[in-house]
Amino acid sequence: MVEGVETAAGQRTGAPGSGGRRSRPGTGQFDSLGLYLADARVEASVLGLLETVEAELRSSVASANPLVTEAARHLVEAGGKRFRPLLVALGAQFGDPTGPQVVPAAVVMELTHLATLYHDDVMDEAAVRRGAPSANSRWTNSIAILVGDYLFARAADIAADLGVEAVRLQARTFARLVHGQIAETVGPRPGDDPVQHYLQVIAEKTGSLIATSARFGGMFGGAPAAHVEALAGYGETIGLAFQLSDDLLDISSESVQSGKTPGTDLREGVPTLPVLYALASDDADAASVRLREILATGPLTDDDLHAEALGLLRESPALKRARETVRSYAEEAREQLSPLPDGPARRALESLCDFVADRTS
């Protein structure tokens, strides 16, 4: 799932997309991810909030048990990206970003996200996460699962201080995450459209938490209800767009823009959007037919077949169609911002739409 775009303390990390619009004059602090923060006041507010969130994350996972503290801080201290707290911080700009509940709300979102990563690594049998040994490979699967549960519990505990509605929203978001993971694990049922199934999985596994992050920012910043709803809709759609753009980068990038070696999903047999489009295609040209033959075999562990499939996908109508899908979600996200007042915060959110469309062009 999409982990986001930036570390909390203003470190420059993340994928360097093509980002044509990022040549605009701006603060430069988030230049590597395409976030356009031209207003010094908004930039200071966002950075200050994220720095506070980072400190609160470390303290919130502390336990009387040293092993629990060490394992729970493992991913926090590995750095990584803080897209969800960033969305909370930006959403709060439409109200009062200094509200006392904004930082705890961001911590709840990031703890929930981190908890899912511990569980994901167990399910995926991952050996590495964020450039460091995964928790399951370092402490065993059982410890990783239990630490993920502990982080969920800590998130719920903090949410309780935010009120009943926050607890309800966090719980419903968690339920959507679980449904998405189950749907991904089981796969599409007979008669299901594999593409629609995949998009639904992403909406539940990735879009749901990003939507709640943007919603929490508006809610706890005291923004009007209509603005909160617009932020939530934007969050879900931009989350979909980011995840789908990662799918494309895995195929189209010559570098490590996607944070992993290009073609990793192909090698592991992960059915991402371009692959699903290619498999569903009825194009009769030799290249399309050959691509379907290779993809139908499953994980491409053979280096020659992997290289052939990657080359065919890069030139395929399926990749072009997937790019159009990403752009359509990016534009839909932009449209969902229309109820929000114009200003630097809205333009910052719009710049993410530009980035996600540009990075896969």
Side-chain angles (χ1 to χ4, degrees):
M1 66 179 61
V2 172
E3 288 191 26
V5 288
E6 183 57 87
T7 56
Q11 298 169 344
R12 286 192 178 189
T13 63
S18 61
R21 294 175 180 84
R22 291 181 293 128
S23 62
R24 298 176 300 185
T27 62
Q29 181 64 62
F30 295 97
D31 187 58
S32 65
L33 58 99
L35 181 66
Y36 181 54
L37 284 174
D39 183 271
R41 180 188 59 80
V42 171
E43 182 194 32
S45 172
V46 170
L47 289 177
L49 192 150
L50 292 178
E51 288 172 0
T52 305
V53 167
E54 199 70 14
E56 290 296 318
L57 281 172
R58 284 168 168 77
S59 63
S60 67
V61 300
S63 165
N65 185 315
L67 174 60
V68 174
T69 298
E70 181 185 11
R73 284 182 174 173
H74 180 63
L75 284 185
V76 173
E77 294 177 350
K81 300 159 187 174
R82 306 289 190 233
F83 192 34
R84 291 145 193 86
L86 174 63
L87 264 291
V88 175
L90 290 171
Q93 302 302 315
F94 296 92
D96 177 10
T98 67
Q101 294 182 314
V102 174
V103 167
V107 172
V108 168
M109 291 294 94
E110 188 63 12
L111 286 177
T112 303
H113 172 59
L114 290 174
T116 68
L117 299 185
Y118 281 84
H119 289 177
D120 281 352
D121 285 346
V122 172
M123 296 190 68
D124 297 340
E125 299 181 348
V128 177
R129 167 71 70 175
R130 297 179 173 175
S134 61
N136 51 300
S137 66
R138 182 171 175 180
W139 287 288
T140 75
N141 283 345
S142 295
I143 294 296
I145 292 169
L146 291 169
V147 170
D149 292 344
Y150 172 69
L151 295 181
F152 279 126
R154 290 296 299 126
D157 192 8
I158 297 169
D161 291 332
L162 299 176
V164 173
E165 185 63 14
V167 174
R168 182 179 292 111
L169 287 168
Q170 195 261 355
R172 290 177 176 175
T173 301
F174 184 27
R176 288 192 67 195
L177 287 166
V178 172
H179 276 95
Q181 185 62 69
I182 291 172
E184 182 180 55
T185 302
V186 173
R189 294 173 296 184
D192 285 351
D193 178 356
V195 171
Q196 290 305 313
H197 175 269
Y198 181 65
L199 294 174
Q200 184 63 32
V201 165
I202 294 176
E204 293 185 334
K205 281 192 62 178
T206 301
S208 63
L209 191 55
I210 296 174
T212 303
S213 298
R215 178 185 294 277
F216 269 18
M219 274 180 60
F220 295 110
H227 295 173
V228 172
E229 291 303 317
L231 286 164
Y234 166 87
E236 177 135 354
T237 309
I238 202 68
L240 272 162
F242 262 108
Q243 181 62 63
L244 293 176
S245 69
D246 277 354
D247 288 359
L248 271 64
L249 287 177
D250 182 64
I251 293 167
S252 63
S253 65
E254 296 290 350
S255 61
V256 288
Q257 283 177 266
S258 60
K260 55 189 176 184
T261 303
T264 297
D265 290 333
L266 272 180
R267 191 174 295 279
E268 296 177 354
V270 177
T272 57
L273 187 65
V275 169
L276 291 172
Y277 278 158
L279 287 170
S281 168
D282 57 3
D283 293 336
D285 61 284
S288 296
V289 171
R290 175 58 178 161
L291 178 57
R292 289 197 296 273
E293 290 175 352
I294 299 174
L295 295 177
T297 64
L300 298 178
T301 56
D302 180 87
D303 289 342
D304 291 337
L305 281 178
H306 178 270
E308 183 181 1
L310 192 60
L312 289 169
L313 262 176
R314 285 172 171 171
E315 300 300 323
S316 70
L319 184 61
K320 179 180 178 181
R321 184 181 177 189
R323 284 193 174 111
E324 292 170 350
T325 300
V326 171
R327 283 193 289 268
S328 71
Y329 277 115
E331 287 308 309
E332 181 182 343
R334 187 196 310 278
E335 291 171 5
Q336 288 169 326
L337 295 172
S338 60
L340 299 175
D342 190 22
R346 175 172 162 177
R347 288 194 291 274
L349 294 172
E350 289 173 340
S351 72
L352 293 176
C353 301
D354 295 337
F355 174 68
V356 76
D358 290 348
R359 73 197 290 239
T360 51
S361 297

